Amino acid sequence: MQFLSMSNGMLAVAIAVPAVVVLILIYAIWYITTKNSLISLRNDMEESYSAMDVHMKKRYDLIPNLVETCKGYAKFESDTLSRVTEARKVAIAAGSADKAAAERELNSSLKMLFNVVQERYPDLKASSQFNNLSAQLEQLEHEIAQSRKYYNAKVKILNNKIEKFPSSSVARKMRLERVSYFEIEDATERNAPRVSFDDAPRTRL
């Protein structure tokens, strides 16, 4: 009986050890796969942010030409131009955490500038140079909006992976945290600045 008891114990060990090894192997494979997935999602998000940043930088390069064009018209509100210039400066220097707020202020300042032109400067509104710059800016605003939408979609996928169990346990080990969406919080500022002047007379200067 003692021999039979020892045999049963050895048999239990012989079964348990491989089972534990298999479970460890399955966990290791799952952990590595989940970690690699999180890394890929994070890289995709960063790549989409870079694409959005490229469009924003193109707009930053365009704004000085727009400001100089407005300066060419007598008595143009210097405070409006100063606000645009300062907002551009802040947006260029802003890090990723402050970029959305800086972009909101820049959008707001550009919207104010175009409203001023629309209401008070018909000659400037009709300028071919100004219309060309405004058309370029409008196109860039559209590209920024599209890239922002794509970036936010990537953020949503990553956040779901970070927050949902069981992948959340791996995310914690990687010290990954929920990423904020790049969005305009004020509902009145959700649309890109209106920079189209289709109703303007097409006189040539």
Side-chain angles (χ1 to χ4, degrees):
M1 294 293 293
Q2 185 178 2
F3 176 76
L4 182 60
S5 177
M6 290 179 61
S7 296
N8 288 340
M10 293 177 64
L11 180 62
V13 171
I15 294 174
V17 170
V20 171
V21 171
V22 169
L23 289 175
I24 292 174
L25 183 61
I26 291 174
Y27 175 79
I29 292 173
W30 170 82
Y31 183 89
I32 293 171
T33 302
T34 303
K35 182 176 181 179
N36 287 341
S37 176
L38 284 165
I39 291 172
S40 295
L41 290 174
R42 182 183 61 190
N43 290 342
D44 285 347
M45 182 199 69
E46 291 175 351
E47 182 182 14
S48 63
Y49 183 91
S50 296
M52 179 173 60
D53 195 45
V54 167
H55 295 309
M56 289 189 291
K57 286 177 179 177
K58 287 181 180 179
R59 185 178 58 171
Y60 300 154
D61 292 339
L62 183 65
I63 288 173
N65 293 333
L66 185 68
V67 170
E68 288 301 317
T69 299
C70 293
K71 280 183 179 179
Y73 282 73
K75 298 181 180 180
F76 195 95
E77 286 85 344
S78 60
D79 56 338
T80 301
L81 296 179
S82 296
R83 181 181 172 185
V84 172
T85 301
E86 181 61 24
R88 172 185 176 271
K89 179 181 177 182
V90 171
I92 291 175
S96 57
D98 303 317
K99 200 70 168 180
E103 280 292 309
R104 283 196 296 273
E105 176 57 29
L106 181 57
N107 276 0
S108 179
S109 66
L110 286 171
K111 187 173 183 179
M112 176 181 290
L113 184 149
F114 282 104
N115 284 340
V116 167
V117 172
Q118 178 79 15
E119 295 171 2
R120 305 176 192 175
Y121 297 91
D123 290 343
L124 177 56
K125 186 175 70 173
S127 164
S128 59
Q129 181 179 3
F130 184 82
N131 276 315
N132 180 50
L133 289 171
S134 66
Q136 292 181 55
L137 185 59
E138 186 175 29
Q139 177 61 33
L140 286 172
E141 291 291 348
H142 174 73
E143 292 173 355
I144 291 170
Q146 291 299 112
S147 59
R148 183 172 65 238
K149 182 179 179 180
Y150 182 72
Y151 169 77
N152 285 337
K154 293 295 184 180
V155 169
K156 181 180 179 180
I157 295 172
L158 177 61
N159 283 342
N160 285 339
K161 195 81 170 179
I162 289 173
E163 295 178 349
K164 289 183 177 181
F165 184 82
S167 57
S168 58
S169 60
V170 180
R172 281 195 298 271
K173 291 181 182 296
M174 295 174 65
R175 297 183 179 179
L176 294 178
E177 297 180 352
R178 177 182 174 84
V179 181
S180 298
Y181 291 105
F182 195 102
E183 59 185 1
I184 300 173
E185 296 174 355
D186 186 348
T188 62
E189 298 293 336
R190 287 189 181 275
N191 294 323
R194 180 63 175 172
V195 295
S196 178
F197 295 99
D198 294 336
D199 57 339
R202 301 297 180 180
T203 55
R204 298 182 63 184
L205 299 184

